[in-house]
Every structure is written in structure tokens, then in C-alpha cells.
């Protein structure tokens, strides 16, 4: 137990991912470092195409099946995922690492009963009998607060609402008591009210079981709700990394600052909402200097020349910006309240 | 499920009645007078009139239809003008022979088509997929009567391995699965199975490719399931489509192929239909068509029920 506390549950070191496109390899993730200590929740925050979902998938080696080129190292516990054999990966997936997908509509097999889909995971990883696994599935349904669990277990996915399906998905991901839970925008496809319920449930289970979690989202409100640590991704790189308070309340990277200004907050109805001009760069043709420089309001000339190295602006608060030192922390308001 | 089954069963009733009407009208709309085929050329007008009365052809069409439907409902399909035997027994004999051929060809088509389709879908764009494509494109492109003639030329005429014609020795005990009968079955089976096999394989490949692209397959992999379990999920998802196309293909084969049965002189429904048409044997034609179309109504019913049983989403539709 003690060495698990010492070693991070997740350690990603200079991970790069590229996909083969029409004109050679297109980088999607460009040299990121992430460490997550056991029991904590890291939120990967970013726009679509920033590489956050790809990073998440790389943790269980799912990119291998997609023909992507992966460089760098991903360690779960003490084990290197990038060098694992296929059978070892299959042990890891669903066993030590649970995965929750964005679309509960399409992420469950439509022709299998929900209960069977959970039970098959349990049988696979825990080697129990089918009957025993169904019993455990029922307990899991109670854990994720699905009413009339027994009846819902024998339902098909199309017979459940989106919220219930996502709860079933959480039950499935938690079924083998994973040390690490990976959640890919699990609330994005849900109604706003259901979003909050699912989010609270996820946080509750995670705290109760001491599971570590990596949570991908583009929603700052969701991030504020669930994160211990936040890593902001832009164009395949982490531009700012720190505790939730550091990143969301006192952001030091101009991109994070711009994002936090784009959120509707509190009750001032007529206040102007910030906006972020321009669009994310084409990953196939990245600018020479800082990727964010073309859109940055605080751009200096040197930003266009050299890519910034990550530097620590406060304990464990890392920012990749040449002007990070000049970016006096500008308070952005009461995020935790929103 | 039960509700769906009952509802679907009730739908079959108006369809069946509609089909009987269409069969009846089609035969009467079609040109050609059965009486003139029956009577010698020098027959007088009175003889023709009398024959028309005997066969009920002088009645209004709707009355003829009602009479015919009433008899048909009691299993009486009339008497064949050509052979003078009851249509029902002629059709029953032919149906039996066609069923034998259809089951044999159906098994071959379904098993081969299923395997080829799954393999091609799993290894999409790999060499094995291209080989399967070659087989299936040939299968759907080559006319089956041409294939039938080719088979006869190669295996009966040149090699003299297999008999070219008929169903086998005409023993009183009927068809038996012994070598004299089975040897007659092989060539017609190949000729009949070629197209359905290719259609099943192509449909199944498309279906497997489609299933593999769906999000839930990633979920299955993210759960760490073994490849064979993932395969089972893929097959279960492709199954409704596979069953539908298999059912329809089997149905087509059970309907009998006029061309293949004619080439091999296989005394099935296709052969019977062809001779009824050539002899202008109206009762026989009507009876055969009625039995065949009723059979297709039944078949579609079965396919729908089986599909709803394998795919829960259909039940609520």
C-alpha cells in the first residue's frame, strides 16, 4: 500500500500520437507529461481536437488497434502499457482500468441485455460463475442508484433512458473494482439535469472507493465540479497543469484565461461574455512558435519564433507560455460556485 | 414479443387475401385461351361453349374468383386441364421435389455464405477479403442457367461423374437419401446455391463491417474481452440482417427456379409452372402460383418473427 502511495497510479511521459493522413503523419498529441496520484481526479480540459480523448485512449492501448503511431511511455501503476502484449492489455482493460464512454446510446451493445454486458466483464476478469456475476451486477446497479435493479438488468439498452444507460455504463466500468477510471466526456450527451446527477454519482463512487480518475471534458463547469487537478490541452499539448484551484481560479496561460472568460456565470444577465477569436490550428501545419500565438491577445514577437517550454509558476502549477511570468494571476471569479 | 407476433400474424391475413386476388386476376388478364389449347382446332363453337361452361369460364370474373377461392380454401384447386389429375396432388408432388433441392442448396448457400461473409468482414481490405469478393462477384454475375449448363457439360458429358437429368430412380417409395438420388442432387444444388451463397456472403460482409465500425465494439475491447467473445457480439449484431437475407434467399429457392429445374429436368414447382404456362393449363397455373405466393407470405412472416426475436429493437417499432 505504501509504495502505491509513493508511485503515481498513472504516469505519462513525453507521449506523442500521430495518425496517418493524406499528407503523411499528422500529430494529434505532441509530447505530453501527466502524473496522477492514487485517489485523485485529473480533468483533461480542451476543445474538440485538442487531443484529450486520444490521450485517454492511449492509457489502455486502444490506439494500437486504430493504426496510430504512439511514442513515449504510459505507465499504469508500475507497468508500462506501451510495451504490453495483447493478452496483458486485455487483462488491464476492464480489470485494473475501467472506461466510461461519451455516448451511452452507442457505446452499449444494442442486442445484449444490460445485465449480460456487465456480467461478461465480471466473468472475464474475476473468473466467477455467470450466476454470481449477475448477482454482483445487481449490487452494482444499486451502487449506481438504478431503481428496480433486477428488472433493469434484463432490459436492452434501447429500453433505458440516457441517464440510466450512463449509470449502467458506470456500473460496468466499476464492475471489477478498477484502480483507475477513465471517463471520456461521460456527461456531454446527457440533459443538463441528468448531467449533474451522473457527475455527483461519479464523484461519490470515486471518493467512496478511492478510485483514481482521469476525466475528459470541454466543460469548465464540469471540471470545477469534479477535478482535483486540471490539465488544459491545446493543439495536442498541455498548456497548463495544476490543482483545480490554481488552473481555474488563477489561470496563468492566456488560453485558459480566455476559456474562463467564455463561461456564463452568476446572474449578470447583460454582462458581455468573453469570446475567443480564431480557430484551433491545423495539426498538419502547426505554426513555428507557440501553437496558441495566432489567437493570443498577449502575444509578443518571440512567441512566434520558439515554442514555450513548460515552467513551474507556483508549486505544482505548470504553464507552457513564454510570458507566464508576466501573466499576473488575474482572478476569474467564483468557479467552485458555478 | 407475443403482442408483436399476434399483430404480425393478423397483418398476414389481408396480405394473403390480396395475393389470391392478384394471382387470380393475373392469370385471367394474361392473353391466351385455355379452351383453345384444350380442344382440337376443328372444334365447333358449341363444343367451345360447352367446355367453357364445364370449367366455369362463362361466369363473371368475380363469381369465378369467389368460387375458386371457396374451393381453394377447402384444398380443392381444381383439375389440371393437361393431365386431368387434381391440381393439388400435382402441386404437392412438385413442392416436395423443390423442397428437397431447396434444403440442400439452402444449407450449402447459408453455411458457405455465412463463413465467407464473416471472414471477409473481419479481414476487410486484406487479401482474403479480395478473394471472397472475387467468388461472390462471380456468384452473383454468372447466370444460374448458364452455370447449370456448364456443370452438365463438365461433370456429366465430359467427366461422366454425375447424372445430368432428373431426380433419380423412380421407385415407389419416393425420394430417399441414397446415392442414386443424392448423385442427381449434386449438380442442381450447386447451380441453385451459387447466387444465394454470394448474396448472403456479400450482405454479411457489409453487416460485419458496419458492426465493427460501431462504438460499442470499442467498449467491448475496453472491457478487455477475449477476441472470441468480441466476435460473438459482432455475429449476434450481424445476425438479424443475415437471417433476413437467408430467409428470403431460402424462400426464393423454395419457390423453385424455372430455369435451373428446366435445365436439369428436376420435377419441382418451377418445372411445373413452366409446363403449365406452355400448355395454357389455367387451373394448374393458378394453383401453383397460389401455393407459391402463400408460401412467400408465410416465409416473410417467419422471417419477421425470427428477426424480432434476435433484435429487441424491432419489437417496439
Amino acid at each position: 500500500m505504501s509504495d502505491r502511495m509513493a508511485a503515481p497510479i498513472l504516469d505519462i511521459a513525453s507521449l506523442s500520437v500521430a495518425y496517418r493522413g493524406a499528407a503523411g503523419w499528422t500529430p494529434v498529441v505532441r509530447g505530453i507529461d501527466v502524473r496522477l496520484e492514487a485517489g485523485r481526479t485529473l480533468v483533461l480540459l480542451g476543445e474538440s481536437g485538442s487531443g484529450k480523448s486520444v490521450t485517454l485512449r492511449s492509457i489502455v492501448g486502444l490506439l494500437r488497434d486504430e493504426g496510430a503511431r504512439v511514442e513515449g511511455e504510459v505507465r499504469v501503476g508500475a507497468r508500462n502499457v506501451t510495451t504490453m502484449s495483447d493478452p496483458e492489455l486485455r487483462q488491464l482493460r476492464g480489470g485494473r482500468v475501467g472506461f466510461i464512454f461519451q455516448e451511452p446510446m452507442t457505446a452499449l451493445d444494442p442486442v445484449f441485455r444490460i445485465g449480460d454486458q456487465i456480467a461478461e466483464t465480471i466473468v472475464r476478469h474475476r473468473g466467477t460463475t455467470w450466476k454470481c456475476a449477475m448477482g454482483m451486477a445487481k449490487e452494482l446497479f444499486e451502487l449506481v442508484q438504478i431503481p428496480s435493479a433486477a428488472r433493469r438488468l434484463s432490459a436492452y439498452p434501447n429500453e433505458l433512458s440516457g441517464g440510466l444507460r450512463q449509470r449502467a455504463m458506470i456500473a460496468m466500468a466499476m464492475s471489477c473494482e478498477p484502480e483507475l477510471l477513465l471517463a471520456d466526456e461521460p456527461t456531454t450527451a446527457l440533459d443538463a439535469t441528468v448531467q449533474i446527477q451522473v457527475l455527483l454519482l461519479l464523484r461519490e463512487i470515486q471518493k467512496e472507493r478511492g478510485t483514481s480518475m482521469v476525466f475528459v471534458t470541454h466543460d469548465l463547469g464540469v471540471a470545477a465540479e469534479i477535478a482535483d487537478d486540471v490539465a488544459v490541452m491545446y493543439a495536442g499539448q498541455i498548456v497548463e497543469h495544476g490543482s483545480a484551484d490554481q488552473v481555474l481560479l488563477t489561470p496563468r496561460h492566456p488560453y485558459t484565461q480566455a476559456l474562463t472568460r467564455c463561461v456564463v456565470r452568476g446572474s449578470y444577465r447583460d454582462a458581455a461574455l468573453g469570446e475567443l477569436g480564431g480557430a484551433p490550428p491545423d495539426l498538419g501545419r502547426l505554426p513555428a512558435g507557440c501553437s496558441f500565438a495566432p489567437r493570443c491577445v498577449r502575444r509578443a514577437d518571440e512567441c512566434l519564433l520558439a515554442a514555450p517550454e513548460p515552467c513551474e509558476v507556483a508549486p505544482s502549477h505548470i504553464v507552457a507560455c513564454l510570458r507566464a511570468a508576466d501573466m499576473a494571476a488575474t482572478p476569474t471569479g467564483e468557479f467552485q460556485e458555478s | 414479443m407475443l403482442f408483436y407476433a399476434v399483430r404480425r400474424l393478423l397483418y398476414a391475413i389481408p396480405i394473403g387475401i390480396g395475393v389470391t386476388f392478384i394471382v387470380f386476376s393475373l392469370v385471367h388478364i394474361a392473353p391466351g385461351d385455355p379452351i383453345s389449347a384444350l380442344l382440337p382446332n376443328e372444334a365447333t363453337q358449341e363444343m367451345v361453349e360447352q367446355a367453357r361452361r364445364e370449367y366455369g369460364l362463362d361466369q363473371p370474373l368475380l363469381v369465378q374468383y369467389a368460387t375458386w377461392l371457396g374451393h381453394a380454401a377447402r384444398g380443392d384447386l381444381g383439375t389440371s386441364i393437361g393431365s386431368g389429375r387434381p391440381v393439388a396432388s400435382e402441386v404437392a408432388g412438385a413442392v416436395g421435389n423443390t423442397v428437397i433441392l431447396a434444403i440442400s442448396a439452402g444449407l450449402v448457400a447459408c453455411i458457405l455464405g455465412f463463413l465467407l461473409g464473416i471472414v471477409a468482414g473481419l479481414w476487410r481490405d486484406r487479401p482474403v477479403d479480395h478473394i471472397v469478393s472475387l467468388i461472390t462477384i462471380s456468384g452473383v454475375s454468372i447466370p444460374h442457367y448458364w452455370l447449370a449448363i456448364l456443370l452438365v457439360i463438365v461433370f456429366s458429358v465430359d467427366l461422366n461423374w454425375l447424372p445430368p437429368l432428373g431426380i433419380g430412380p423412380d421407385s415407389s417409395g419416393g425420394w430417399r437419401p441414397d446415392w442414386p438420388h443424392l448423385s442427381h442432387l449434386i449438380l442442381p444444388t450447386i447451380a441453385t446455391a451459387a447466387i444465394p451463397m454470394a448474396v448472403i456472403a456479400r450482405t454479411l460482409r457489409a453487416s460485419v463491417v458496419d458492426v465493427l465500425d460501431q462504438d460499442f465494439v470499442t467498449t467491448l475491447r475496453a472491457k478487455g474481452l477475449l477476441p472470441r467473445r468480441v466476435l460473438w457480439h459482432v455475429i449476434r449484431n450481424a445476425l438479424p440482417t443475415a437471417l433476413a437475407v437467408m430467409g428470403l434467399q431460402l424462400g426464393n429457392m423454395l419457390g423453385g427456379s424455372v430455369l435451373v429445374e428446366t435445365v436439369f429436368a428436376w420435377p419441382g414447382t418451377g418445372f411445373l409452372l413452366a409446363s403449365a404456362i406452355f400448355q395454357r393449363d389455367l387451373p394448374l397455373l393458378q394453383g401453383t402460383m397460389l401455393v407459391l405466393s402463400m408460401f412467400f407470405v408465410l416465409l416473410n412472416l417467419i422471417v419477421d418473427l425470427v428477426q424480432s426475436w434476435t433484435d429487441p429493437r424491432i419489437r417496439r417499432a
Side-chain angles (χ1 to χ4, degrees), chain B residues 88-101:
Chain B
S89 71
E90 294 259 342
V91 175
V95 165
N97 293 335
T98 292
V99 165
I100 291 168
L101 180 55

Side-chain angles (χ1 to χ4, degrees), chain A residues 215-266:
Chain A
F215 191 105
V216 161
T217 185
H218 63 262
D219 186 333
L220 274 90
V222 169
E225 198 68 52
I226 203 160
D228 294 318
D229 301 318
V230 174
V232 181
M233 289 191 75
Y234 186 78
Q237 288 178 318
I238 291 178
V239 293
E240 183 158 8
H241 188 189
S243 72
D245 285 354
Q246 286 171 328
V247 175
L248 298 176
L249 296 179
T250 57
R252 298 290 289 273
H253 194 282
Y255 176 61
T256 322
Q257 290 178 345
L259 281 185
T260 54
R261 275 194 298 273
C262 300
V263 176
V264 185
R265 191 181 309 119

Side-chain angles (χ1 to χ4, degrees), chain A residues 5-248:
Chain A
M5 296 302 282
I9 179 76
L10 175 69
D11 192 353
I12 298 178
S14 48
L15 175 77
S16 294
V17 180
Y19 281 91
R20 190 189 284 282
W25 293 93
T26 304
V28 180
V29 172
R30 302 183 292 140
I32 64 166
D33 298 289
V34 176
R35 272 169 72 96
L36 177 64
E37 267 153 45
R40 290 179 76 85
T41 298
L42 168 73
V43 166
L44 287 178
L45 191 67
E47 299 172 66
S48 343
S50 59
K52 52 195 195 310
S53 287
V54 172
T55 305
L56 198 69
R57 280 157 181 255
S58 72
I59 297 172
V60 282
L62 279 173
L63 304 178
R64 200 181 279 187
D65 311 323
E66 298 168 13
R69 189 177 65 192
V70 182
E71 285 159 1
E73 218 176 73
V74 177
R75 286 180 178 276
V76 174
R79 307 193 52 207
N80 190 347
V81 175
T82 36
T83 57
M84 272 189 187
S85 67
D86 284 349
E88 284 175 319
L89 262 183
R90 284 196 288 270
Q91 290 287 341
L92 182 80
R93 296 172 182 170
R96 295 183 62 190
V97 184
F99 209 118
I100 302 170
F101 288 90
Q102 176 177 358
E103 275 286 347
M105 305 288 183
T106 56
L108 291 166
D109 187 334
V111 306
F112 278 65
R113 293 175 196 276
I114 302 264
D116 292 345
Q117 298 192 46
I118 296 174
E120 69 180 350
T121 320
I122 299 174
V123 170
R124 160 75 179 102
H125 290 289
R126 297 182 153 191
T128 62
T129 61
W130 193 266
K131 200 178 163 199
C132 178
M134 283 304 266
M136 290 161 91
K138 187 159 178 281
E139 284 166 24
L140 284 161
F141 263 34
E142 279 150 16
L143 175 77
V144 297
Q145 296 156 20
I146 294 182
S148 34
R151 185 162 62 82
R152 257 61 185 260
L153 278 175
S154 58
Y156 290 94
N158 68 313
E159 295 168 343
L160 299 187
S161 67
L164 283 185
R165 258 185 277 208
Q166 198 56 292
R167 283 168 196 266
M169 191 80 173
I170 294 170
M172 196 156 82
M174 292 301 297
S175 62
C176 299
E177 294 178 4
E179 303 159 74
L180 178 62
L181 200 55
L182 307 177
D184 190 358
E185 307 224 18
T187 57
T188 306
L190 304 175
D191 291 343
T193 48
V194 182
Q195 263 188 23
I196 303 295
Q197 293 167 5
V198 168
L199 208 57
L200 293 178
L201 172 76
L202 210 51
R203 193 169 69 180
E204 192 184 307
I205 293 175
Q206 185 252 338
K207 291 281 177 254
E208 195 180 297
R209 301 227 168 167
T211 317
S212 319
M213 178 155 71
V214 182
F215 191 105
V216 161
T217 185
H218 63 262
D219 186 333
L220 274 90
V222 169
E225 198 68 52
I226 203 160
D228 294 318
D229 301 318
V230 174
V232 181
M233 289 191 75
Y234 186 78
Q237 288 178 318
I238 291 178
V239 293
E240 183 158 8
H241 188 189
S243 72
D245 285 354
Q246 286 171 328
V247 175
L248 298 176

Side-chain angles (χ1 to χ4, degrees), chain B residues 50-74:
Chain B
Q50 193 194 345
R52 293 185 76 86
R53 264 198 303 284
E54 267 171 36
Y55 286 102
L57 294 174
D58 55 338
Q59 303 282 328
L61 212 55
L62 270 177
V63 176
Q64 286 188 43
Y65 169 67
T67 317
W68 172 72
L69 194 63
H71 286 155
R74 290 194 297 270

